[in-house]
C-alpha cells in the first residue's frame, strides 16, 4: 500500500487540529456543546486514520486489536456511568492518557540522542506519571476508597523535596546518557510526586485538581509531539494544556479558591477541612 | 522541527487555547474539562507510531499497552462527554428519558 504524501498528511493533521479548536469553542456554549464534542471526535478519527495511512507500521493487526480492546474497556463504562460518578471517570481517562504519554516517551528514549529531544522525553515521562498517579488518587478519593479528608503525614514537605531532587537528578542523567534504567527511576519519582501532590487535597477541591491534572496531561502530550516530531500532538497537547489551565483558574475562582493554595496544601496542613 | 517553528506553533496554540475557553459558562465547566480530556487522548497517534516501530516483543507489549490506555482516554472521553451533555439537556427540547440506545426512531 502506498503511503500518503507528507503534504497530504500535514493537511489532514491540520484539519484534525482545527476540529479540536472548534470542539473546545463549541463546548464553551450550551447551544453548540454537543456538536462541538462530535466535531472533536471526528477530528480524532481523521487523525487516527491518517497515522495508519501515512507511517509504515509493523504489527498493524495487534495495534488494531489493542484499539478494539481499549474501546471495549472504555465505551460501555462511559455509556452506563451514573451522573454522580462522571468526575471520577473523567479523572480515570485523564490518568490513563498521562500513563500512555509516559510509556510512549520511554519507548522513544533509545531512538533519540539529541539533548533537547531527551529533555522533552524527560518532561513527558515525568508529567505523564504525575498525572497518572495524581488522577488515581482523585479517583480513589471520589469513590471513597480512601478518605476524602486531606491525607498528611509528618515530613511530607521533606519527602516532596527528596522526590523533586531525585527527579531533577535522574532527568539530568537521562539527558546526558539516555539511560533507560534512570528513566525507570524518573517514572517512580513522577508517580511519587503525583501521590504527594494530591493526597493532601481535600474532597471539595478534587474537581479543581482533576482539571489541573488534565492540563498536565495536555502538556505531556505536547512534549511527546516534540519527541516524535509530530505537529498534531504538539498542537493538540498545547491547546489542552492552555485551555485546561484557564479552566482550572476559572473553576477555582468560581468556588472562591486559589489554585496554589489547593495544590500546596501539604506544606500548610491540607487544602480544605475536608 | 526547526526550534523557531516549534516555538511559533506552541505560542500560537497557547493563545488559541486561552481564547476559545475564556467565555465558558459555569454550567459547562465539567463537560468542557471532559472534552479537553478526550482531546489529549490523541496521544493514541503517538502510541500507534511507537507500536508500529517496535521490534522487540517486550517493547511491543509496552507500546500496545499505551495504545489500549490512549484509546480508553480518547474514545471513552468523547463518549462520556456526550453523555454528560445529553443529561445536562444540551438540546433544547428534552428527549424522552426512556430508550437509552434508541437513536432517532421517534417520528
Amino acid at each position: 500500500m502506498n503511503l500518503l504524501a507528507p503534504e497530504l498528511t500535514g493537511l489532514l493533521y491540520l484539519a484534525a487540529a482545527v476540529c479540536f479548536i472548534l470542539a473546545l469553542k463549541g463546548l464553551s456554549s450550551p447551544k453548540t456543546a454537543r456538536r462541538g464534542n462530535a466535531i472533536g471526535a471526528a477530528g480524532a478519527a481523521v487523525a487516527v486514520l491518517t497515522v495508519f495511512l501515512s507511517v509504515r507500521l509493523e504489527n498493524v493487526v495487534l495495534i488494531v486489536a489493542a484499539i478494539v480492546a481499549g474501546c471495549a474497556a472504555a465505551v460501555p463504562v462511559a455509556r452506563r456511568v451514573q451522573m454522580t460518578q462522571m468526575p471520577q471517570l473523567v479523572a480515570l481517562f485523564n490518568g490513563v492518557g498521562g500513563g500512555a504519554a509516559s510509556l510512549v516517551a520511554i519507548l522513544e528514549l533509545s531512538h533519540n540522542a539529541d539533548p533537547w529531544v531527551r529533555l522533552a522525553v524527560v518532561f513527558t515521562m515525568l508529567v505523564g506519571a504525575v498525572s497518572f498517579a495524581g488522577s488515581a488518587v482523585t479517583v480513589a478519593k471520589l469513590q471513597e476508597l480512601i478518605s476524602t479528608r486531606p491525607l498528611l503525614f509528618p515530613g511530607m514537605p521533606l519527602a516532596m523535596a527528596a522526590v523533586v531532587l531525585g527527579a531533577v537528578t535522574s532527568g539530568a542523567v537521562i539527558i546526558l546518557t539516555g539511560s533507560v534504567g534512570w528513566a525507570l527511576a524518573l517514572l517512580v519519582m513522577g508517580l511519587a510526586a503525583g501521590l504527594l501532590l494530591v493526597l493532601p487535597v481535600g474532597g471539595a477541591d478534587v474537581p479543581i485538581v482533576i482539571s489541573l491534572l488534565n492540563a498536565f496531561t495536555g502538556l505531556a502530550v505536547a512534549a511527546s509531539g516534540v519527541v516524535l516530531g509530530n505537529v498534531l500532538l504538539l498542537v493538540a497537547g498545547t491547546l489542552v494544556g492552555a485551555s485546561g489551565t484557564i479552566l482550572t483558574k476559572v473553576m477555582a475562582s468560581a468556588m472562591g479558591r486559589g489554585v496554589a493554595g489547593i495544590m500546596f496544601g501539604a506544606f500548610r496542613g491540607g487544602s480544605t477541612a475536608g | 522541527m526547526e526550534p523557531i517553528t516549534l516555538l511559533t506553533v506552541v505560542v500560537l496554540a497557547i493563545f488559541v487555547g486561552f481564547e476559545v475557553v475564556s467565555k465558558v459558562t459555569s454550567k459547562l465547566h465539567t463537560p468542557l474539562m471532559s472534552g479537553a480530556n478526550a482531546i489529549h487522548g490523541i496521544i493514541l497517534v503517538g502510541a500507534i507510531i511507537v507500536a508500529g516501530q517496535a521490534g522487540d516483543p517486550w517493547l511491543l507489549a509496552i507500546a500496545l499497552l499505551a495504545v489500549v490506555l490512549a484509546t480508553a482516554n480518547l474514545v471513552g472521553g468523547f463518549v462520556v462527554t456526550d453523555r454528560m451533555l445529553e443529561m445536562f439537556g444540551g438540546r433544547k427540547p428534552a428527549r424522552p428519558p426512556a430508550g437509552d440506545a434508541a437513536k432517532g426512531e421517534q417520528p
Side-chain angles (χ1 to χ4, degrees):
Chain A
M1 187 172 60
N2 288 324
L3 296 178
L4 292 181
E7 292 80 11
L8 187 54
T9 307
L11 279 177
L12 288 169
Y13 280 155
L14 175 63
V18 170
C19 285
F20 293 154
I21 294 171
L22 293 175
L24 290 172
K25 182 87 190 152
L27 280 164
S28 305
S29 155
K31 269 188 188 163
T32 54
R34 273 193 99 175
R35 195 191 330 151
N37 188 53
I39 292 173
V46 167
V48 171
L49 280 177
T50 304
V51 72
F52 274 110
L53 297 177
S54 65
V55 183
R56 200 167 295 284
L57 298 169
E58 310 285 327
N59 320 311
V60 172
V61 175
L62 288 172
I63 293 171
V64 172
I67 291 174
V68 171
C71 289
V75 172
V77 188
R79 292 195 75 89
R80 284 199 213 108
V81 62
Q82 302 287 314
M83 186 80 164
T84 50
Q85 292 186 320
M86 279 180 176
Q88 44 268 57
L89 190 62
V90 173
L92 182 70
F93 288 152
N94 178 47
V96 296
S102 271
L103 295 178
V104 168
I106 197 170
L107 290 172
E108 277 297 296
L109 184 58
S110 55
H111 303 302
N112 285 295
D114 183 280
W116 290 103
V117 177
R118 281 182 180 164
L119 176 64
V121 168
V122 167
F123 183 88
T124 309
M125 283 177 50
L126 187 63
V127 177
V130 167
S131 185
F132 180 80
S135 299
V137 176
T138 61
V139 172
K141 277 183 187 269
L142 289 172
Q143 283 285 22
E144 300 189 9
L145 300 172
I146 59 173
S147 165
T148 55
R149 299 178 63 83
L151 292 173
L152 292 151
F153 56 83
M156 209 158 187
L158 207 65
M160 195 58 175
V163 165
V164 170
L165 192 68
V168 170
T169 311
S170 37
V173 176
I174 293 166
I175 291 170
L176 292 174
T177 66
S179 152
V180 175
W182 281 90
L184 293 175
L186 181 71
L187 271 189
V188 173
M189 294 297 159
L191 294 174
L195 295 181
L196 289 172
L197 266 179
V198 183
L199 281 173
V201 174
D205 288 332
V206 166
I208 296 166
V209 173
I210 295 174
S211 175
L212 188 69
L213 293 172
N214 183 39
F216 277 20
T217 309
L219 295 178
V221 171
S224 80
V226 176
V227 175
L228 291 163
N230 186 300
V231 181
L232 178 63
L233 293 181
L234 181 68
V235 171
T238 309
L239 277 175
V240 176
S243 59
T245 307
I246 292 292
L247 185 60
T248 308
K249 271 183 69 179
V250 172
M251 282 170 81
S253 65
M255 294 171 71
R257 312 272 304 152
V259 176
I262 293 168
M263 287 319 292
F264 300 109
F267 299 97
R268 51 172 194 79
S271 71
T272 51
Chain B
M1 233 178 299
E2 287 286 313
I4 193 71
T5 315
L6 191 129
L7 188 67
T8 308
V9 169
V10 168
V11 171
L12 293 179
I14 289 173
F15 274 94
V16 173
F18 283 174
E19 280 304 312
V20 287
V21 301
S22 57
K23 293 190 194 84
V24 60
T25 50
S26 61
K27 200 182 115 181
L28 285 171
H29 283 170
T30 313
L32 178 59
M33 173 173 78
S34 181
N37 167 52
I39 289 173
H40 66 51
I42 200 64
I43 184 63
L44 175 59
V45 166
I48 290 171
I49 293 173
V50 292
Q53 291 165 352
D56 181 272
W58 276 104
L59 299 184
L60 178 61
I62 296 172
L64 290 174
L65 174 64
V67 172
V68 174
L69 296 180
T71 307
N73 183 182
L74 185 71
V75 179
F78 283 119
V79 173
V80 79
T81 309
D82 189 61
R83 225 174 98 78
M84 218 179 260
L85 293 167
E86 190 180 62
M87 291 171 117
F88 281 19
R91 288 178 183 179
K92 283 278 166 63
R95 300 204 313 167
D100 237 24
K103 277 192 229 158
E105 257 96 343
Q106 289 92 349

